[in-house]
Amino acid sequence: IHSEIYVDKTGLIAWTNRYLNTEQKYLCVSRPRRFGKSMALRMLAAYYGSGRDSRELFAGRRIENDPSYEEYLNQYDVILLNMQQFLIRAKDQDVTGCLEQSVIRDIRKTYGDLFSEQETILAVVLEQIYAETGKKFIFLIDEWDCVMRERQESEELQKQYLDFLRNLLKDQPYVALAYMTGILPVKKYGQHSALNMFWEYSMTDQGFLEEYTGFTETEVQELCERYGMDFAEAGNWYDGYRFVEFRHIYNPKSVVEAMLRHRFFNYWTTTETYDALKVYMDYDGLRQSIVQMLGGTPVRVNTLSFRNDMRNLASRDDVLTLLIHLGYLAYDQEREEAFIPNREIVREF
């Protein structure tokens, strides 16, 4: 909130409040890189976390007017995990073991008298705390899919990781809310359905989260007026992520950069992820589809066959669906069509 540009997305909190302690408390929200995933998690942690009074942070924000605001403000212990950090720290060692050791060390500071010093399984520690106190936890997991993206060749590690998350979260009485973010959805990693309890909100269907996926047309218009920038040109460059209700969602990273630098340009740079996809450009007529979209014509795409990983791409539709999740293509859910959303992405292709 101390940044020069702050766009109020605290309405997301009212939405997550609806699902606390319900059957729908498992939420997986996948979006492209730099679309505010980590920022949303930090906002949720600031609101729910019992470690301090965060009332001043939310004074004057949208959430303050919601009936649920006071009920849940600073009422939970929050476990905020960045899986990318644990993957880096563990190197070739046990990723989940590194995570459990770190989290248990933190939990011991508050609840150390409620479980054995020798206990090394996080789920067991939390079960014992819940049995003694009735306390529930909120889990906020960032970059949940980094193991799948960066350890594509290690199916054993992926299976171990998924089993760990299932044991930690599924049907556990100490879970009040589990909110995961990443680039890819969770459903179909091979035949392993460890995380089938999650409700998914992805770039092919953001559901109630459409306005929190990026910046809305109204939000960008206000920023353009504030910074003296051409709103129509901002649309040409950064608009185009199209959903059912919100037909104009803008890339938030690029809009902020353009406003602060007072220049429209491609600020959403190419990543290694996209470089790796170049090998698929001749796959099953994909190049022809890209040329067609560069010419302004959408292409039909079946997003249902995609297994939600970056290795098992069996068809042109799978590659197109992956590009949608990565943000390099937009998707019209009603027409089931993919298209290149704006000038910024055209330059990438």
Side-chain angles (χ1 to χ4, degrees), residues 85-96 98 151:
Q85 292 178 352
F86 287 110
L87 188 62
I88 293 172
R89 292 173 187 171
K91 296 182 180 179
D92 296 328
Q93 300 174 4
D94 180 8
V95 178
T96 58
C98 175
R151 296 291 188 271

Side-chain angles (χ1 to χ4, degrees), residues 158-341:
Q158 293 179 23
K159 183 178 184 302
Q160 177 192 7
Y161 173 60
L162 291 173
D163 284 339
F164 164 75
L165 288 178
R166 176 178 59 184
N167 183 54
L168 177 66
L169 300 173
K170 188 172 184 179
D171 298 327
Q172 294 286 15
Y174 53 73
V175 178
L177 178 75
Y179 185 109
M180 299 198 314
T181 69
I183 293 176
L184 299 177
V186 301
K187 278 192 282 195
K188 296 175 285 190
Y189 283 109
Q191 300 300 313
H192 205 67
S193 58
L195 304 181
N196 58 4
M197 70 283 198
F198 275 90
W199 295 67
E200 296 187 69
Y201 302 88
S202 74
M203 292 303 284
T204 58
D205 184 5
Q206 280 288 319
F208 295 107
L209 295 180
E210 290 182 4
E211 68 174 301
Y212 306 112
T213 305
F215 287 170
T216 65
E217 195 169 31
T218 301
E219 290 164 347
V220 175
Q221 191 165 16
E222 291 173 353
L223 287 172
C224 286
E225 292 173 0
R226 174 178 162 189
Y227 284 89
M229 298 288 280
D230 188 294
F231 174 62
E233 190 67 4
N236 289 334
W237 274 90
Y238 311 125
D239 185 15
Y241 295 95
R242 186 179 302 171
F243 299 108
V244 176
E245 180 180 355
F246 286 81
R247 307 296 282 179
H248 298 275
I249 291 293
Y250 292 65
N251 183 324
K253 159 70 174 175
S254 298
V255 170
V256 168
E257 289 280 356
M259 298 299 116
L260 294 178
R261 296 171 183 260
H262 210 73
R263 179 193 177 200
F264 294 114
F265 189 67
N266 179 7
Y267 299 109
W268 201 56
T269 54
T270 304
T271 67
E272 182 181 353
T273 297
Y274 182 62
D275 288 339
L277 286 175
K278 289 179 180 177
V279 69
Y280 299 108
M281 278 300 154
D282 282 321
Y283 192 94
D284 192 26
L286 180 64
R287 183 182 294 271
Q288 180 180 350
S289 296
I290 298 297
V291 170
Q292 181 177 333
M293 288 186 285
L294 284 169
T297 303
V299 298
R300 294 274 295 182
V301 57
N302 174 17
T303 62
L304 300 179
S305 64
F306 183 53
R307 291 174 62 181
N308 295 348
D309 66 23
M310 302 178 71
R311 191 179 186 191
N312 298 297
L313 302 173
S315 68
R316 158 192 166 277
D317 283 344
D318 287 351
V319 181
L320 290 174
T321 305
L322 176 57
L323 288 171
I324 291 169
H325 289 301
L326 293 173
Y328 287 98
L329 293 178
Y331 180 67
D332 189 324
Q333 183 180 349
E334 294 181 323
R335 295 177 176 270
E336 298 183 346
E337 292 177 339
F339 57 95
I340 298 175

